[in-house]
Short mmCIF file of all heavy atoms in Angstrom, two decimals:
data_model
loop_
_atom_site.label_atom_id
_atom_site.label_comp_id
_atom_site.label_asym_id
_atom_site.label_seq_id
_atom_site.Cartn_x
_atom_site.Cartn_y
_atom_site.Cartn_z
N ALA A 133 -42.24 -41.76 61.20
CA ALA A 133 -40.80 -41.54 61.35
C ALA A 133 -40.10 -41.68 60.00
O ALA A 133 -40.50 -42.48 59.15
CB ALA A 133 -40.22 -42.53 62.35
N GLU A 134 -39.04 -40.89 59.83
CA GLU A 134 -38.29 -40.93 58.56
C GLU A 134 -37.22 -42.01 58.56
O GLU A 134 -36.66 -42.32 57.50
CB GLU A 134 -37.66 -39.57 58.30
CG GLU A 134 -38.69 -38.46 58.08
CD GLU A 134 -38.05 -37.12 57.79
OE1 GLU A 134 -36.81 -37.07 57.76
OE2 GLU A 134 -38.78 -36.15 57.57
N ALA A 135 -36.93 -42.57 59.72
CA ALA A 135 -35.94 -43.64 59.81
C ALA A 135 -36.40 -44.63 60.87
O ALA A 135 -37.08 -44.26 61.84
CB ALA A 135 -34.56 -43.08 60.16
N ALA A 136 -36.03 -45.88 60.68
CA ALA A 136 -36.40 -46.93 61.62
C ALA A 136 -35.20 -47.34 62.46
O ALA A 136 -34.06 -47.34 61.98
CB ALA A 136 -36.94 -48.14 60.86
N ALA A 137 -35.46 -47.68 63.70
CA ALA A 137 -34.41 -48.23 64.55
C ALA A 137 -33.90 -49.53 63.95
O ALA A 137 -34.62 -50.21 63.19
CB ALA A 137 -34.93 -48.46 65.96
N ALA A 138 -32.69 -49.88 64.28
CA ALA A 138 -32.06 -51.07 63.68
C ALA A 138 -32.88 -52.33 63.90
O ALA A 138 -32.89 -53.24 63.05
CB ALA A 138 -30.65 -51.24 64.25
N ASP A 139 -33.58 -52.40 65.04
CA ASP A 139 -34.34 -53.61 65.35
C ASP A 139 -35.82 -53.50 64.97
O ASP A 139 -36.61 -54.39 65.25
CB ASP A 139 -34.21 -53.95 66.84
CG ASP A 139 -34.74 -52.83 67.75
OD1 ASP A 139 -34.98 -51.72 67.24
OD2 ASP A 139 -34.89 -53.09 68.96
N ASP A 140 -36.20 -52.39 64.33
CA ASP A 140 -37.60 -52.19 63.95
C ASP A 140 -37.79 -52.57 62.49
O ASP A 140 -37.90 -51.72 61.60
CB ASP A 140 -38.01 -50.74 64.20
CG ASP A 140 -39.51 -50.51 64.09
OD1 ASP A 140 -40.21 -51.43 63.61
OD2 ASP A 140 -39.98 -49.42 64.47
N TRP A 141 -37.84 -53.87 62.22
CA TRP A 141 -37.96 -54.35 60.85
C TRP A 141 -39.31 -53.97 60.24
O TRP A 141 -39.42 -53.74 59.03
CB TRP A 141 -37.79 -55.87 60.78
CG TRP A 141 -38.78 -56.62 61.62
CD1 TRP A 141 -38.62 -57.03 62.92
CD2 TRP A 141 -40.09 -57.06 61.24
NE1 TRP A 141 -39.75 -57.68 63.37
CE2 TRP A 141 -40.66 -57.72 62.35
CE3 TRP A 141 -40.83 -56.96 60.07
CZ2 TRP A 141 -41.94 -58.27 62.33
CZ3 TRP A 141 -42.11 -57.51 60.04
CH2 TRP A 141 -42.65 -58.16 61.16
N TYR A 142 -40.33 -53.86 61.09
CA TYR A 142 -41.67 -53.57 60.60
C TYR A 142 -41.72 -52.19 59.95
O TYR A 142 -42.13 -52.05 58.79
CB TYR A 142 -42.64 -53.64 61.79
CG TYR A 142 -44.10 -53.75 61.43
CD1 TYR A 142 -44.70 -54.99 61.25
CD2 TYR A 142 -44.90 -52.62 61.32
CE1 TYR A 142 -46.05 -55.10 60.95
CE2 TYR A 142 -46.24 -52.73 61.01
CZ TYR A 142 -46.82 -53.97 60.84
OH TYR A 142 -48.16 -54.07 60.54
N LEU A 143 -41.26 -51.16 60.68
CA LEU A 143 -41.21 -49.82 60.12
C LEU A 143 -40.20 -49.75 58.98
O LEU A 143 -40.43 -49.09 57.97
CB LEU A 143 -40.85 -48.80 61.19
CG LEU A 143 -40.68 -47.34 60.73
CD1 LEU A 143 -41.94 -46.83 60.04
CD2 LEU A 143 -40.29 -46.44 61.89
N GLY A 144 -39.09 -50.47 59.12
CA GLY A 144 -38.09 -50.48 58.06
C GLY A 144 -38.66 -50.94 56.74
O GLY A 144 -38.37 -50.36 55.68
N ASN A 145 -39.49 -51.98 56.78
CA ASN A 145 -40.12 -52.47 55.54
C ASN A 145 -41.03 -51.42 54.92
O ASN A 145 -41.05 -51.22 53.71
CB ASN A 145 -40.92 -53.74 55.84
CG ASN A 145 -40.04 -54.93 56.13
OD1 ASN A 145 -38.86 -54.93 55.81
ND2 ASN A 145 -40.61 -55.96 56.74
N ILE A 146 -41.83 -50.75 55.76
CA ILE A 146 -42.73 -49.70 55.27
C ILE A 146 -41.93 -48.59 54.59
O ILE A 146 -42.28 -48.14 53.49
CB ILE A 146 -43.55 -49.13 56.44
CG1 ILE A 146 -44.51 -50.18 57.00
CG2 ILE A 146 -44.33 -47.89 55.99
CD1 ILE A 146 -45.18 -49.78 58.30
N LEU A 147 -40.86 -48.16 55.25
CA LEU A 147 -40.08 -47.05 54.71
C LEU A 147 -39.37 -47.44 53.41
O LEU A 147 -39.27 -46.62 52.49
CB LEU A 147 -39.06 -46.59 55.75
CG LEU A 147 -39.66 -45.96 57.02
CD1 LEU A 147 -38.56 -45.60 58.00
CD2 LEU A 147 -40.50 -44.73 56.68
N ARG A 148 -38.89 -48.67 53.31
CA ARG A 148 -38.22 -49.10 52.08
C ARG A 148 -39.21 -49.13 50.91
O ARG A 148 -38.90 -48.70 49.80
CB ARG A 148 -37.56 -50.47 52.27
CG ARG A 148 -36.23 -50.40 53.02
CD ARG A 148 -35.48 -51.71 52.96
NE ARG A 148 -36.12 -52.77 53.74
CZ ARG A 148 -35.94 -52.93 55.05
NH1 ARG A 148 -35.14 -52.12 55.72
NH2 ARG A 148 -36.54 -53.91 55.70
N ASP A 149 -40.39 -49.66 51.17
CA ASP A 149 -41.40 -49.70 50.10
C ASP A 149 -41.79 -48.29 49.66
O ASP A 149 -41.87 -48.00 48.46
CB ASP A 149 -42.64 -50.45 50.59
CG ASP A 149 -42.49 -51.96 50.48
OD1 ASP A 149 -41.37 -52.43 50.25
OD2 ASP A 149 -43.51 -52.66 50.64
N ASP A 150 -42.02 -47.41 50.63
CA ASP A 150 -42.41 -46.05 50.28
C ASP A 150 -41.28 -45.30 49.56
O ASP A 150 -41.53 -44.50 48.65
CB ASP A 150 -42.85 -45.28 51.53
CG ASP A 150 -44.26 -45.63 51.96
OD1 ASP A 150 -44.94 -46.38 51.23
OD2 ASP A 150 -44.70 -45.14 53.02
N ALA A 151 -40.04 -45.56 49.97
CA ALA A 151 -38.91 -44.90 49.30
C ALA A 151 -38.84 -45.31 47.83
O ALA A 151 -38.58 -44.46 46.96
CB ALA A 151 -37.60 -45.25 50.02
N LEU A 152 -39.08 -46.58 47.56
CA LEU A 152 -39.06 -47.03 46.16
C LEU A 152 -40.17 -46.37 45.35
O LEU A 152 -39.97 -45.96 44.20
CB LEU A 152 -39.21 -48.55 46.10
CG LEU A 152 -37.96 -49.35 46.49
CD1 LEU A 152 -38.32 -50.82 46.69
CD2 LEU A 152 -36.89 -49.22 45.42
N LEU A 153 -41.34 -46.25 45.95
CA LEU A 153 -42.44 -45.61 45.24
C LEU A 153 -42.15 -44.13 45.03
O LEU A 153 -42.41 -43.58 43.94
CB LEU A 153 -43.74 -45.79 46.02
CG LEU A 153 -45.00 -45.18 45.38
CD1 LEU A 153 -45.21 -45.70 43.96
CD2 LEU A 153 -46.22 -45.48 46.24
N MET A 154 -41.57 -43.47 46.02
CA MET A 154 -41.24 -42.05 45.88
C MET A 154 -40.18 -41.84 44.80
O MET A 154 -40.25 -40.87 44.03
CB MET A 154 -40.77 -41.50 47.23
CG MET A 154 -41.89 -41.43 48.26
SD MET A 154 -41.32 -41.08 49.94
CE MET A 154 -41.03 -39.30 49.80
N GLU A 155 -39.21 -42.76 44.71
CA GLU A 155 -38.22 -42.67 43.64
C GLU A 155 -38.89 -42.82 42.27
O GLU A 155 -38.55 -42.10 41.32
CB GLU A 155 -37.16 -43.75 43.83
CG GLU A 155 -36.23 -43.52 45.02
CD GLU A 155 -35.35 -44.71 45.30
OE1 GLU A 155 -35.33 -45.66 44.46
OE2 GLU A 155 -34.68 -44.73 46.35
N GLY A 156 -39.82 -43.76 42.18
CA GLY A 156 -40.53 -43.95 40.93
C GLY A 156 -41.35 -42.73 40.55
O GLY A 156 -41.40 -42.34 39.38
N LEU A 157 -42.01 -42.13 41.54
CA LEU A 157 -42.79 -40.92 41.27
C LEU A 157 -41.89 -39.77 40.84
O LEU A 157 -42.25 -39.00 39.93
CB LEU A 157 -43.60 -40.54 42.52
CG LEU A 157 -44.76 -41.48 42.87
CD1 LEU A 157 -45.30 -41.16 44.26
CD2 LEU A 157 -45.88 -41.39 41.83
N ALA A 158 -40.74 -39.66 41.48
CA ALA A 158 -39.80 -38.60 41.10
C ALA A 158 -39.37 -38.75 39.65
O ALA A 158 -39.23 -37.76 38.92
CB ALA A 158 -38.59 -38.61 42.03
N ALA A 159 -39.17 -40.01 39.22
CA ALA A 159 -38.79 -40.25 37.83
C ALA A 159 -39.91 -39.83 36.87
O ALA A 159 -39.65 -39.55 35.69
CB ALA A 159 -38.45 -41.72 37.62
N GLU A 160 -41.14 -39.78 37.37
CA GLU A 160 -42.29 -39.33 36.57
C GLU A 160 -42.55 -37.83 36.73
O GLU A 160 -43.55 -37.31 36.24
CB GLU A 160 -43.54 -40.12 36.96
CG GLU A 160 -43.44 -41.62 36.74
CD GLU A 160 -43.26 -41.98 35.28
OE1 GLU A 160 -43.91 -41.32 34.43
OE2 GLU A 160 -42.49 -42.90 34.98
N GLY A 161 -41.67 -37.15 37.49
CA GLY A 161 -41.81 -35.72 37.67
C GLY A 161 -42.75 -35.31 38.79
O GLY A 161 -43.20 -34.16 38.84
N LEU A 162 -43.02 -36.24 39.71
CA LEU A 162 -43.95 -35.96 40.81
C LEU A 162 -43.23 -36.07 42.15
O LEU A 162 -42.58 -37.08 42.43
CB LEU A 162 -45.12 -36.95 40.79
CG LEU A 162 -46.04 -36.89 39.57
CD1 LEU A 162 -47.04 -38.03 39.60
CD2 LEU A 162 -46.77 -35.55 39.50
N SER A 163 -43.36 -35.06 42.98
CA SER A 163 -42.82 -35.11 44.33
C SER A 163 -43.83 -35.78 45.25
O SER A 163 -45.04 -35.79 44.99
CB SER A 163 -42.49 -33.71 44.83
OG SER A 163 -43.65 -32.88 44.80
N ALA A 164 -43.34 -36.35 46.34
CA ALA A 164 -44.24 -37.06 47.26
C ALA A 164 -43.77 -36.89 48.69
O ALA A 164 -42.58 -36.67 48.96
CB ALA A 164 -44.30 -38.55 46.89
N GLN A 165 -44.72 -37.03 49.60
CA GLN A 165 -44.45 -36.93 51.03
C GLN A 165 -45.36 -37.90 51.77
O GLN A 165 -46.53 -38.04 51.42
CB GLN A 165 -44.70 -35.50 51.52
CG GLN A 165 -44.49 -35.29 53.01
CD GLN A 165 -44.76 -33.85 53.41
OE1 GLN A 165 -44.42 -32.92 52.68
NE2 GLN A 165 -45.36 -33.65 54.57
N ARG A 166 -44.82 -38.54 52.79
CA ARG A 166 -45.63 -39.43 53.62
C ARG A 166 -46.42 -38.57 54.62
O ARG A 166 -45.86 -37.71 55.29
CB ARG A 166 -44.74 -40.43 54.35
CG ARG A 166 -43.88 -41.24 53.37
CD ARG A 166 -42.91 -42.17 54.07
NE ARG A 166 -43.61 -43.25 54.73
CZ ARG A 166 -43.73 -43.38 56.05
NH1 ARG A 166 -43.18 -42.48 56.86
NH2 ARG A 166 -44.37 -44.39 56.58
N VAL A 167 -47.73 -38.84 54.73
CA VAL A 167 -48.62 -37.99 55.53
C VAL A 167 -49.57 -38.86 56.34
O VAL A 167 -50.12 -39.85 55.83
CB VAL A 167 -49.44 -37.03 54.64
CG1 VAL A 167 -50.28 -36.09 55.48
CG2 VAL A 167 -48.53 -36.25 53.69
N ASP A 168 -49.77 -38.49 57.59
CA ASP A 168 -50.76 -39.14 58.45
C ASP A 168 -52.16 -38.74 57.98
O ASP A 168 -52.51 -37.57 57.97
CB ASP A 168 -50.53 -38.71 59.90
CG ASP A 168 -51.61 -39.20 60.87
OD1 ASP A 168 -52.41 -40.09 60.49
OD2 ASP A 168 -51.65 -38.68 62.00
N TRP A 169 -52.96 -39.73 57.60
CA TRP A 169 -54.30 -39.42 57.08
C TRP A 169 -55.15 -38.65 58.09
O TRP A 169 -56.01 -37.85 57.71
CB TRP A 169 -55.03 -40.71 56.67
CG TRP A 169 -55.41 -41.61 57.84
CD1 TRP A 169 -54.68 -42.64 58.33
CD2 TRP A 169 -56.60 -41.55 58.62
NE1 TRP A 169 -55.34 -43.23 59.39
CE2 TRP A 169 -56.52 -42.58 59.59
CE3 TRP A 169 -57.73 -40.73 58.63
CZ2 TRP A 169 -57.52 -42.82 60.54
CZ3 TRP A 169 -58.72 -40.96 59.58
CH2 TRP A 169 -58.61 -42.00 60.51
N ALA A 170 -54.90 -38.85 59.39
CA ALA A 170 -55.74 -38.25 60.43
C ALA A 170 -55.21 -36.92 60.95
O ALA A 170 -55.79 -36.37 61.89
CB ALA A 170 -55.90 -39.23 61.59
N ASP A 171 -54.15 -36.41 60.36
CA ASP A 171 -53.58 -35.14 60.83
C ASP A 171 -54.56 -34.00 60.51
O ASP A 171 -54.79 -33.68 59.35
CB ASP A 171 -52.24 -34.90 60.13
CG ASP A 171 -51.52 -33.66 60.63
OD1 ASP A 171 -52.17 -32.81 61.29
OD2 ASP A 171 -50.32 -33.51 60.34
N PRO A 172 -55.12 -33.36 61.55
CA PRO A 172 -56.14 -32.32 61.29
C PRO A 172 -55.57 -31.05 60.67
O PRO A 172 -56.33 -30.21 60.18
CB PRO A 172 -56.71 -32.05 62.69
CG PRO A 172 -55.61 -32.41 63.63
CD PRO A 172 -54.89 -33.57 63.00
#
């Protein structure tokens, strides 16, 4: 999910961490996307 429910702190933490990493990658000229490893 791209957003977490207000009471879903677990997913919220994951998304905040990934957003920071994606911002850092963007500053290095790299685009990023979150992907399910098992998506066939």
Side-chain angles (χ1 to χ4, degrees):
E134 295 182 359
D139 60 348
D140 191 348
W141 58 268
Y142 197 89
L143 177 58
N145 289 343
I146 294 170
L147 294 177
R148 281 191 290 276
D149 278 12
D150 281 354
L152 285 167
L153 181 55
M154 292 169 77
E155 290 171 9
L157 290 169
E160 299 297 321
L162 296 172
S163 58
Q165 178 180 322
R166 303 175 69 251
V167 184
D168 173 14
W169 69 267
D171 184 344

